[in-house]
Structure formats: structure tokens, C-alpha cells
Amino acid sequence: GYASLMFGRAFVGLGVGFGLAVDPVYIGEISQAAHRGQMVTWSEIATNVGIVLGFMSGLVFGSVREDVAWRLMFAMGAILPCFVIYFSTFVMPESPRWLVSKDRDDEAREVLKMVYPDGYDVGVIVHEIK
């Protein structure tokens, strides 16, 4: 009924909100200070472009039979992103701040070496995080 619809909308809204909040935080933690604002800005732009494309999908699926359209929209909006998120976990490093908070300084240095130019003293950054 109506109550379950509203509960579902609130539940999904909270999930999307938390999901959209994690991205800029992770980018802010992993990127260099000189490029942090630009990287987070591009992330936010990509999010908004994705929202616009989501609304535009209504136009694309407007001519598809209703019993097929909702399945295609569900696949594109839920199933495909789940696969992308799952496979991205294999290539995304842990947050250096999280690693330092767990006393895994050597791993944090390795992650920072991937982000910063060769020869940069990432030990200073690990020390700043502490």
C-alpha cells in the first residue's frame, strides 16, 4: 500500500544520499591537496550528469512496452551499477586515513605512492594524518 511505498522511497533515498556522500569523501582523502577541489568538483559534475541521463532514460524507454521498460530501467539503474561497484573494489585502494587509523602505516604509504609523483616523501603525509 501507500505506507510501504513511502517507506521504500525513504529507504532508497537514504541509501542514495549516503552513497553520494561517500564518493567526495573518498576522493578528498585519496587525492593530492593541490588537486583535491578539482577532483571533487569533477565527481559532483559526473553525478549530476548521471542524474540528467537517468531522467532522459524516461524518453528512451517511453516507446518500449511497459512490461519490458521497467525491467530495462531496473537493469540499468540497479543491476549494472552493482556490478560496476563490485568490480571497482578490486582496483580501488583503501583510504590512507583509514589505514593510518588502523596502524597500517606501510600500506598507507604504498597507497600514497600510487597517487603522488615519484620521489615525493609520502612519509610526511602519513605523519600529518596521524
Side-chain angles (χ1 to χ4, degrees), residues 27-110:
I27 291 171
E29 287 185 1
I30 199 85
S31 61
Q32 298 177 27
H35 303 290
R36 193 168 294 144
Q38 182 180 5
M39 298 295 288
V40 172
T41 299
W42 279 112
S43 166
E44 294 300 318
I45 290 171
T47 299
N48 287 297
V49 167
I51 291 169
V52 169
L53 291 174
F55 281 115
M56 289 175 58
S57 71
L59 294 172
V60 172
F61 293 119
S63 61
V64 178
R65 287 190 352 241
E66 287 183 19
D67 61 325
V68 176
W70 75 268
R71 289 177 174 93
L72 292 173
M73 291 180 85
F74 180 75
M76 290 183 65
I79 297 171
L80 183 62
C82 286
F83 282 113
V84 170
I85 291 169
Y86 174 75
F87 288 116
S88 70
T89 60
F90 295 110
V91 296
M92 290 177 61
E94 293 286 351
S95 164
R97 288 188 187 281
W98 182 83
L99 290 169
V100 169
S101 73
K102 301 296 181 193
D103 293 324
R104 295 164 58 181
D105 295 359
D106 293 334
E107 291 177 63
R109 282 186 187 86
E110 292 303 315

